[in-house]
Amino acid sequence: MAFQMISGSQAAATAVQRVGVDLVAAYPITPQTAIVEALADFSAKGELGGEFVSVESEYAALACCNGAAATGARVFTATASHGLAYMHEMIHWCSGARFPIVMVNVNRTIGAPWCLDPDQGDSLSQRDTGWLQLYCANAQEVFDMVIQAFIIAEELLLPCMVVFDGFYISHTYEAVDVADADQVRKLVGPPAFAPQVIPGQPGNLHGLSTGETHLKLVKDRHQTMLRLPVLFNKINKAFAKQFGRSYNILETQIPSGAKRAIVAAGATAETVRWALPVLADTGLIQLRVFRPFPAAEIRQVIEENELTELLVVDRNCSVGMGGIFAQELRSALYELPKPPQVRSLILAGGVDLTEQMLVDLLQTTGNEENFALRWGDEF
Amino acid sequence: MKIAEINRQDEMIYPGHNACPGCGAALAVRYLTKALGKNIVLVLTASCWSIISGMPPLTALKCPILHCPFPSAGSVGSGVRRGLNARGHHDTTVVVLAGDGGTFDIGLQALSGAAQRNEDYIFVCYDNEAYMNTGMQTSSATPFGARTNTAPYPLYKEGEKKDIMQIMAAHTVPYAATATVAFPADLEEKLKTAQKVKGFRFIHILAPCPPGWGTESSDTIEVSRLAVATGFFPLYEVRNGTNWKLTVPADIKSASLSQYLGLQRRFKEMDDRRLNELQHEINRDYQRLLDQVAKVTAETQQ
C-alpha cells in the first residue's frame, strides 16, 4: 500500500510508467496536458523506459503509435476533445490493423463554440471505430484501468481507450494507491504480441482488400471484442490477488427492494454514488465498459432486481436522437419482455451533475410532462 | 548507364505488378529498392503504389510494406523507425514512400514534423504531378498551365508548382536530392548516399505518368530526360540545407521547353503567354539554384 495524493492525470501517467512502454507520442491539448507533461518528466528523469516523442499534431501522435505498434512495440498516447476528433481516421485504422494501442481520452466538449467542460461526446462519437472504451469514475480507477487496458488490448489485439472527465477527474487530487513498477510488471509482463513488420520478411500489410475480405475482418473484430467480459473477470481475479481490489464490467449498488436505478458512466457515477444515501429506494448502475456494450449484463441486473425505472445520466447528446447512453441502453433493453422505463437527463456541454438535480428528478412522477427527458438547464 | 549494364541480380520488385505500361513510379521504386538492398521496410501512403503493390496476400516487393492513411506517412515512418530501434533492428533502412499528394499537400504537415525532428529515415516522393491514382486531379505539384480533370479545358492549372526541395532545404535536413527515371545510375547513387547519412533524408523523384500526362508509354524515359534537359527538373542535392550541388550530367544536350511540353497532351492548349510564364518560372528557379551552388563554391574557395 502506497497512497499518494495525485490527480487523475498523474494517475494515468504513473500507470503508464509502471507498465513500461517503448514509445509515447503525444501532442498537448487541454485538459490532457498534465498527462503528457508527467510522462515527459518521467522521460527526463530516465524513468519512462521508452522514448517520448513530441509530435506536430494529435493525428501524428496516433500515426506514430500506429507505426511503432506495427513493429511490436508497446505504445501509449493521450488526448481530448478536438484532438480525438482530429485523430478520427487513424482511430479507425489502428483498430482495423489490430494494433493494441492504449490511449487515454480526457472528456472535453467539442466546439463550436470553444468549451472546456467535460462533455463525453468526444469519446462517444468514436464508438463505431472498433476501440474498446473503459470509463473511470475516480483517480484510482484511472490508475487501475490504464494498467488493465494494456493487458486487454494485447490479449484481444484491439486498441483500448481509457476515458475520464476533464477537470473533475483529470485535475482533482485524490488519494490513490499507487503500486510500484515491479508489482505492476508482474501482472502485465512485457509486450507479448507478434510484430507485423519484420525486416527481411516480405508482406503487404493492410493493402487493398475486397468487401468480402473486409467483412470477415470486421466480424472477427466484433467477435473478439465480445470476449471482453470473460477476459475482464479473469484479469480482475489476478488484479485482486496482486492489489487487493478488483472491478466488474458493471458496478451495481442497488439497495434491497429498490425498483429504480440511476445509470451513469465516468465522474457522474461517483456523484451518484455519494448521493445515494439521500435518494430513497434508488440504486446505481455504473457503466465501466461502453465498448463492447454490456447489454447482457445490464439485462441480468434489471431482471434480478426487477427494476422498473432507469434514470440515465448523459453528459452528452447525439443531436437529433438524444443522450447516447440512454439510446444504447434502450436498444439493449428491447429484448426484455417487460423493459423498465428509461428516463434521460442530458448534461451536454459538460454541465455538472448535482445532488439536487437527482432529488428533483426522482420526485417527478410518471404523469408529469418531460418525465422521459430532462435537460441540465431546467433545474 | 545503358539498360544492359543494370544488374538484375538485386531486383526487389516482382514482375506482374499492377502499374500501367510505362509507369515512372514503378521504375522509380524498382531502382530505389534495388539501390537500398534487402534490409528495408517500406511505409506506403495512399497513392498509385497502393494499387501497384498488389492485393494482399500478393505483393509486388520483396520487403515488408506497411500501408498507412493518406496524411500519415511522415508520422507512421517515425513510429516504425523508433519501434524497430526499440526491438534492436537498428540496421534496417526505413523508407517512406509517398506520391506528390502525400508529400506536397495532405502529407506536408507530417513530412515537416518528421523533417524538423530529424527522424532517421528516407522519405521518397515519387512525383507524377497530380492525383493520378484517382484519375488526374490537380495537386500543388501540378505545373502551371497543365490541364487536369479538376482544371478541364478551357481551364488550366493556375499558380506555380510548389517548390518542395526549397521547403525541405529550409528544414536543414541532412540530405535532400532530386532524381528521375531517365538517369537510373544517378538515382541509385543518391539513394545509396542517402542510406549512409543519419537523420532525415528526402528524395524527390520525377515520375512521368503516361495516362495522366498524355504521353506514349514508350516515351517515359524521353520525357524524363527532357524534364532535366530543359531545366524544368534540375538534378541536384543539398546537404544540411546549405550545401548545394548540381548533378546534371555534363554531356546532356539542352532542350527547349516546347519540346518537353509537346510530348504531353496535358499541355496541348498551352498558348505563348502561358509558355512564357512557365519559362520565366523555370529560369528564375534555375538561377536561384545556380546562385545557391555558386555561393557554396565561393565559400569553399575562400
Side-chain angles (χ1 to χ4, degrees):
Chain A
M1 299 282 272
F3 278 95
Q4 291 180 19
M5 279 300 287
I6 56 174
S7 66
S9 301
Q10 287 167 331
T14 308
V16 172
Q17 188 271 337
R18 297 297 195 259
V19 167
V21 291
D22 295 308
L23 181 134
V24 173
Y27 184 81
I29 179 170
T30 302
Q32 153 268 32
T33 39
I35 301 172
V36 176
E37 288 176 356
L39 287 166
D41 265 350
F42 281 125
S43 176
K45 290 182 204 146
E47 294 171 359
L48 188 61
E51 286 190 275
F52 179 89
V53 196
S54 283
V55 292
E56 72 282 357
S57 74
E58 288 92 353
Y59 188 95
L62 194 54
C64 188
C65 286
N66 172 101
T71 70
R74 181 180 279 164
V75 299
F76 175 82
T77 189
T79 190
S81 187
H82 289 258
L84 190 73
Y86 191 38
M87 286 177 174
H88 182 66
E89 182 188 29
M90 287 309 307
I91 291 177
H92 272 285
W93 191 270
C94 292
S95 168
R98 305 298 294 264
F99 294 138
I101 294 167
V102 173
M103 168 161 67
V104 157
N105 180 67
V106 186
N107 284 134
R108 177 190 140 186
T109 306
I110 296 183
W114 290 118
C115 183
L116 299 175
D117 292 350
D119 186 296
Q120 299 158 317
D122 53 358
S123 51
L124 292 176
S125 62
Q126 304 299 334
R127 68 181 178 179
D128 303 330
T129 55
W131 282 57
L132 296 129
Q133 289 197 7
L134 312 176
Y135 285 74
C136 308
N138 56 50
Q140 185 69 60
E141 290 190 10
V142 169
F143 184 81
D144 295 342
M145 283 306 112
V146 168
I147 292 169
Q148 294 193 12
F150 282 100
I151 307 173
I152 294 167
E154 291 174 16
E155 175 69 28
L156 300 180
L157 287 178
L158 283 172
C160 186
M161 198 183 296
V162 179
V163 184
F164 52 91
D165 311 61
F167 302 106
Y168 292 124
I169 294 181
S170 66
H171 287 60
T172 303
Y173 282 69
E174 299 179 64
V176 177
D177 185 356
V178 179
D180 64 33
D182 288 348
Q183 285 177 298
V184 173
R185 286 174 199 191
K186 220 167 114 186
L187 189 77
V188 182
F193 61 99
Q196 296 187 17
V197 170
I198 304 167
Q201 273 190 27
N204 197 356
L205 300 161
H206 315 303
L208 191 68
S209 67
T210 62
E212 287 75 12
T213 302
H214 213 91
L215 171 69
K216 285 190 172 66
L217 297 171
V218 170
K219 187 175 165 189
D220 185 66
R221 273 193 284 159
H222 179 70
Q223 290 172 343
T224 302
M225 196 186 277
L226 294 185
R227 285 171 47 208
L228 180 74
V230 174
L231 176 65
F232 196 77
N233 288 340
K234 188 180 143 206
I235 291 169
N236 276 281
K237 274 199 187 110
F239 200 85
K241 215 170 148 192
Q242 186 83 15
F243 301 115
R245 58 181 179 273
S246 65
Y247 299 92
N248 297 298
I249 292 268
L250 289 178
E251 300 295 346
T252 53
Q253 205 172 321
I254 300 173
S256 158
K259 292 295 167 234
R260 65 183 176 191
I262 301 169
V263 182
T268 54
E270 193 76 349
T271 307
V272 175
R273 200 191 319 280
W274 283 90
L276 279 186
V278 301
L279 305 172
D281 300 326
T282 307
L284 163 68
I285 301 173
Q286 180 190 345
L287 283 175
R288 182 177 309 290
V289 177
F290 177 65
R291 278 293 178 272
F293 195 76
E297 290 79 0
I298 288 173
R299 286 196 291 267
Q300 194 185 340
V301 170
I302 288 163
E303 291 198 306
E304 278 174 4
N305 294 279
E306 296 173 341
L307 299 177
T308 57
E309 183 185 327
L310 297 178
L311 173 62
V312 186
V313 180
D314 266 305
R315 197 133 73 183
N316 63 77
C317 180
S318 173
V319 175
M321 187 60 185
I324 294 172
F325 290 123
Q327 177 190 335
E328 298 255 335
L329 202 64
R330 284 193 186 103
S331 153
L333 299 179
Y334 185 73
E335 288 176 30
L336 287 176
K338 278 181 69 183
Q341 264 193 298
V342 176
R343 308 173 62 187
S344 179
L345 169 63
I346 296 184
L347 303 170
V351 169
D352 193 16
L353 175 69
T354 64
E355 190 179 287
Q356 195 55 46
M357 279 181 190
L358 295 170
V359 170
D360 284 1
L361 269 171
L362 293 172
Q363 281 169 354
T364 321
T365 73
N367 300 323
E368 287 178 39
E369 210 180 326
N370 294 341
F371 178 76
L373 172 64
R374 296 296 296 275
W375 295 81
D377 62 348
E378 295 168 6
F379 297 87
Chain B
M1 179 188 278
K2 292 192 176 69
I3 291 298
E5 292 167 16
I6 295 173
N7 176 5
R8 291 174 192 277
Q9 296 303 306
D10 308 320
E11 296 281 1
M12 292 287 286
I13 190 167
Y14 289 108
H17 56 71
N18 291 341
C20 307
C23 174
L27 269 180
V29 172
R30 177 185 165 199
Y31 295 142
L32 83 88
T33 50
K34 200 156 80 71
L36 295 175
K38 288 187 168 58
N39 191 10
I40 61 172
V41 169
L42 201 74
V43 175
L44 178 54
T45 191
S47 64
C48 287
W49 254 94
S50 308
I51 306 302
I52 299 171
S53 66
M55 189 179 277
L58 301 179
T59 184
L61 292 175
K62 300 176 189 174
C63 66
I65 302 170
L66 179 66
H67 293 259
C68 64
F70 214 170
S72 72
S75 314
V76 173
S78 310
V80 168
R81 171 75 276 163
R82 289 163 187 267
L84 287 175
N85 287 353
R87 300 184 61 82
H89 299 292
H90 295 275
D91 295 339
T92 301
T93 299
V94 175
V95 181
V96 173
L97 184 66
D100 47 292
T103 304
F104 290 60
D105 288 343
I106 198 169
L108 187 61
Q109 178 172 302
L111 169 62
S112 171
Q116 184 279 322
R117 290 191 301 274
N118 200 22
E119 296 283 352
D120 189 21
Y121 66 74
I122 305 174
F123 192 112
V124 177
C125 168
Y126 67 93
D127 177 7
N128 48 28
E129 302 195 314
Y131 293 91
M132 295 310 189
N133 193 32
T134 45
M136 208 202 172
Q137 297 83 21
T138 301
S139 81
S140 63
T142 305
F144 169 80
R147 178 181 41 76
T148 71
N149 286 335
T150 46
Y153 181 83
L155 303 178
Y156 54 88
K157 161 75 189 306
E158 304 268 11
E160 299 181 0
K161 180 184 174 102
K162 193 184 279 181
D163 196 332
I164 196 71
M165 285 295 287
Q166 293 287 342
I167 292 172
M168 284 296 101
H171 283 73
T172 62
V173 297
Y175 185 76
T178 62
T180 185
V181 292
F183 303 92
D186 176 75
L187 193 157
E188 289 192 27
E189 196 182 310
K190 281 168 176 164
L191 263 302
K192 284 190 165 132
T193 303
Q195 197 170 25
K196 288 183 208 123
V197 174
K198 184 124 180 88
F200 195 83
R201 293 141 281 167
F202 182 79
I203 310 288
H204 180 193
I205 304 178
L206 186 72
C209 169
W213 292 13
T215 53
E216 294 303 319
S217 55
S218 53
D219 279 344
T220 294
I221 301 304
E222 177 63 4
V223 173
S224 165
R225 192 188 65 77
L226 285 173
V228 177
T230 54
F232 175 85
F233 191 82
L235 298 177
Y236 59 98
E237 56 187 22
V238 52
R239 290 169 190 265
N240 304 313
T242 48
N243 195 351
W244 301 77
K245 188 182 158 198
L246 275 176
T247 58
V248 180
D251 59 350
I252 196 166
K253 280 187 205 145
S254 64
S256 73
L257 184 58
S258 51
Q259 253 180 294
Y260 175 56
L261 304 187
L263 287 176
Q264 307 175 45
R265 279 198 302 280
R266 63 178 174 158
F267 292 109
K268 206 173 139 200
E269 293 88 14
M270 197 86 163
D271 58 22
D272 284 350
R273 185 189 61 80
R274 276 183 251 156
L275 189 74
N276 288 339
E277 205 168 315
L278 183 59
Q279 185 68 62
H280 171 77
E281 180 192 331
I282 291 167
N283 293 349
R284 182 202 62 199
D285 289 352
Y286 201 79
Q287 188 56 50
R288 176 172 59 188
L289 184 61
L290 290 178
D291 292 346
Q292 284 167 319
V293 172
K295 191 162 170 259
V296 175
T297 314
E299 278 167 8
T300 316
Q301 285 167 352
Q302 271 170 12

